[in-house]
């Protein structure tokens, strides 16, 4: 299993920016997808943005234009920057790794946006 360690998160004011980072154990196989999901209490976990080791990116409509996902596929790292944050961005953010069914989740980091 790929180990994922998250950093970032915390309390921010609406309109501010936040950066989340995730470092995974080094993997030699390709392709894989790393990304960030978030979950609000009582709701399903939803994709925020993801990045494939082959290059394609996927960004949810809810954060399109405000989210930038980047990573180093050689180091199995992925970062997410969210700009112009809104109270609706509040939730627990999880780093995710998936390679042809080999799936791992980070422990989650709380992000709270105050209005």
């Amino acid at each position: 299993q790929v180990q994922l360690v998250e950093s970032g998160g915390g309390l921010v004011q609406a309109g501010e920016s936040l950066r989340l980072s995730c470092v995974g154990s080094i993997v030699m196989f390709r392709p894989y997808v790393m990304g960030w999901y978030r979950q609000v209490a009582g709701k399903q976990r939803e994709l925020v943005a993801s990045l494939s080791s082959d290059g394609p990116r996927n960004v949810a409509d809810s954060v399109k234009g405000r989210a930038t996902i980047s990573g180093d596929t050689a180091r199995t790292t992925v970062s997410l920057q969210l700009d112009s944050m809104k109270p609706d961005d509040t939730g627990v953010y999880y780093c995710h790794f998936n390679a042809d069914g080999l799936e791992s989740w980070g422990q989650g980091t709380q992000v709270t946006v105050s209005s």
Side-chain angles (χ1 to χ4, degrees):
Q1 189 176 10
V2 176
Q3 302 298 316
L4 301 172
V5 179
E6 301 154 339
S7 61
L11 175 64
V12 297
Q13 300 270 351
E16 292 183 340
S17 296
L18 183 76
R19 186 176 179 86
L20 303 174
S21 295
C22 176
V23 179
S25 42
I26 300 296
V27 297
M28 304 304 292
F29 47 83
R30 303 286 188 275
Y32 64 79
V33 178
M34 284 187 78
W36 289 91
Y37 285 71
R38 69 185 178 194
Q39 189 166 23
V40 177
K43 295 188 177 181
Q44 284 190 328
R45 198 170 292 187
E46 62 176 4
L47 174 70
V48 179
S50 65
L51 172 65
S52 169
S53 59
D54 291 345
R57 289 167 167 77
N58 188 19
V59 178
D61 289 342
S62 58
V63 297
K64 200 159 287 184
R66 301 190 295 120
T68 303
I69 188 162
S70 58
D72 184 340
T73 56
R75 297 174 181 270
T76 325
T77 64
V78 65
S79 294
L80 174 70
Q81 172 144 339
L82 280 175
D83 299 320
S84 304
M85 296 198 69
K86 307 174 182 179
D88 284 350
D89 293 322
T90 294
V92 180
Y93 285 68
Y94 295 90
C95 182
H96 180 251
F97 175 96
N98 188 9
D100 195 24
L102 177 63
E103 191 174 31
S104 292
W105 291 94
Q107 76 279 8
T109 183
Q110 176 69 44
V111 172
T112 302
V113 184
S114 63
S115 57

